Amino acid sequence: AGDSPAHRALALRAAREGLVLLQNPNQILPLDGRGTLAVIGPNANASMNLLSGYHGTPPPDLLRSPLQELEARWRGGRVVYAVGCNASGAATAALDEAVDLAKTADVVVLGLGLCGDNYGGGPPKEDATCFSIDEAESVDRTSLKLPGAQEALFSKIWALGKPVAVFLVSAGAVDASFAKGKAALLLAGYGGEFGGVAVADALLGAANPGGALTATMLPDAGLPPFRDMAMRPSAASPGRTYRFLDERRVAPLWRFGFGLSYAAFAVSLAGPTRVPRHASTRFSVVVRNVGKVPGDVVVTCFVAAVGRPDAPLRELFDFARVRDLAPAASTNVTMELHPRSLSLVDEDGVRSTTAGAYDVACSAGRVADTEDIRLTVD
């Protein structure tokens, strides 16, 4: 029990596979390890915060921050560090000091995000920049915006015209529109005892991120009213979740299931076009790596009722993670559509499957999509 080589390997795998690459303009990532690297931000040197809440105590040799890992592995130049600002609270002179430091660098990595309740008892047991808790049991946020001066820090760094990569530490949703279309953006979650290693691995290309979003990322202004619990769109709400969100009213930043890779993938779909109402149906998805490096990708398959305004816009019916697919290689994934995914619950709470037309489509990271199969259900 406890610490063992097998448990360490599993913790590292979980930390790596939990990373989601949201954007990578101009292929900023992976970093080439040359020149001067500026590592800046309240989560850049985080260690305890990577554990978040309800954690055990990892061995002291494991808990290393992304900054420590980058310093140890940056071979072609030097690494400089500034905190820039705390995770919460007002801006300080440290912000301008960080900007001045970034001016000396060839590339900048920003560690931003939230502070989870890691029960460290306050600084120095917790990371000094996490002097308040942003998300935890009994702690509600009133905004998806990054707290404190973090967006201001990003804006000032971005204005320098340097290549910038951001990793976000959080569990709950964050409005990352401040970086949309600008910096490389890696969603890091709370990576646990190997969180710092995993972030550095991804930034340096030692591991290829292949995770996918488990929820649609929305701008803060697009949130439905908190007291409106209806899933479907209404006069007051654009709808909730990928199943009902009216994207004409609120454009998501990144959709549920989205995730990039340093590789690239193509997908195709084959399956029946007519099935009995109460039978399960299997579809075959061929995934091919059309990139230059091995990589993972999450394949998601959706079904949508045709001509049914009372039905969800789409419904996830199966998914799978394809791991370590080599360049030019392909693999076949079987996805199963169960009758429940074709059913609806009426106002009396009765669930039933309705005959009719349905569209089935699958996606690799919500980036490469298959053509629809029009399925007739008898």
Side-chain angles (χ1 to χ4, degrees):
D3 185 34
S4 70
H7 290 172
R8 290 191 180 200
L10 180 61
L12 178 58
R13 174 181 168 183
R16 286 172 170 168
E17 292 194 358
L19 299 173
V20 182
L21 183 62
L22 295 179
Q23 61 186 26
N24 191 23
N26 301 316
Q27 284 70 56
I28 295 170
L29 297 177
L31 304 175
D32 61 13
R34 296 196 297 265
T36 298
L37 170 68
V39 185
I40 294 170
N43 272 310
N45 198 28
S47 53
M48 284 295 295
N49 191 45
L50 299 176
L51 301 178
S52 189
Y54 296 105
H55 64 79
T57 302
D61 63 308
L62 291 191
L63 197 56
R64 292 170 56 82
S65 70
L67 170 66
Q68 291 173 306
E69 287 295 320
L70 289 168
E71 286 176 329
R73 293 194 247 170
W74 196 263
R75 302 301 184 191
R78 65 191 185 104
V79 177
V80 294
Y81 165 70
V83 65
C85 63
N86 291 320
S88 303
T92 66
L95 193 150
D96 291 330
E97 293 171 5
V99 174
D100 289 340
L101 187 70
K103 292 177 181 178
T104 71
D106 298 294
V107 62
V108 180
V109 167
L110 281 172
L112 306 178
L114 306 179
C115 291
D117 188 351
N118 60 55
Y119 299 96
K125 292 183 179 180
E126 290 181 2
D127 299 307
T129 55
C130 283
F131 62 88
S132 64
I133 296 170
D134 301 312
E135 56 179 358
E137 187 175 343
S138 79
V139 177
D140 293 329
R141 287 185 291 151
T142 59
S143 171
L144 297 184
K145 296 284 189 178
L146 284 179
Q150 294 187 73
E151 289 193 21
L153 176 63
F154 173 85
S155 296
K156 286 180 176 289
I157 298 292
W158 179 252
L160 300 177
K162 309 275 186 178
V164 177
V166 176
F167 66 88
L168 283 176
V169 175
S170 75
V174 170
D175 179 356
S177 54
F178 64 89
K180 181 76 172 179
K182 297 177 181 177
L185 186 57
L186 183 70
L187 196 62
Y190 292 106
E193 62 190 20
F194 281 105
V197 175
V199 168
D201 282 345
L203 294 176
L204 296 173
N208 189 350
L213 287 179
T214 58
T216 298
M217 290 187 69
L218 296 174
D220 186 70
L223 283 180
F226 181 74
R227 290 181 174 83
D228 185 348
M229 292 290 102
M231 300 295 290
R232 290 176 170 80
S234 65
S237 170
R240 292 182 179 275
T241 79
Y242 77 93
R243 298 169 71 241
F244 295 102
L245 179 68
D246 185 349
E247 295 186 3
R248 297 168 299 180
R249 295 169 60 179
V250 176
L253 298 173
W254 293 277
R255 293 180 176 87
F256 163 74
F258 184 88
L260 297 175
S261 167
Y262 300 146
F265 300 92
V267 285
S268 59
L269 176 66
T273 58
R274 183 178 293 272
V275 296
R277 188 185 308 182
H278 300 295
S280 293
T281 308
R282 290 185 175 182
F283 293 87
S284 176
V285 182
V286 176
V287 184
R288 185 163 59 96
N289 185 342
V290 295
K292 298 180 180 179
V293 295
D296 291 12
V297 66
V298 175
V299 180
T300 49
C301 290
F302 299 87
V303 62
V306 178
R308 291 288 303 274
D310 56 332
L313 298 174
R314 63 193 61 82
E315 179 91 19
L316 178 75
F317 70 83
D318 208 351
F319 68 95
R321 182 168 183 138
V322 174
R323 290 180 169 86
D324 201 30
L325 192 63
S330 62
T331 189
N332 190 299
V333 181
T334 298
M335 298 294 202
E336 191 158 5
L337 174 62
H338 294 283
R340 183 181 176 88
S341 295
L342 305 174
S343 64
L344 293 177
V345 178
D346 64 20
E347 293 182 356
D348 296 322
V350 177
R351 180 181 293 277
S352 60
T353 303
T354 304
Y358 295 81
D359 285 334
V360 173
C362 298
S363 175
R366 298 301 299 273
V367 178
D369 302 316
T370 68
E371 297 289 333
D372 289 356
I373 287 181
R374 177 61 59 87
L375 184 67
T376 299
V377 176
D378 298 321

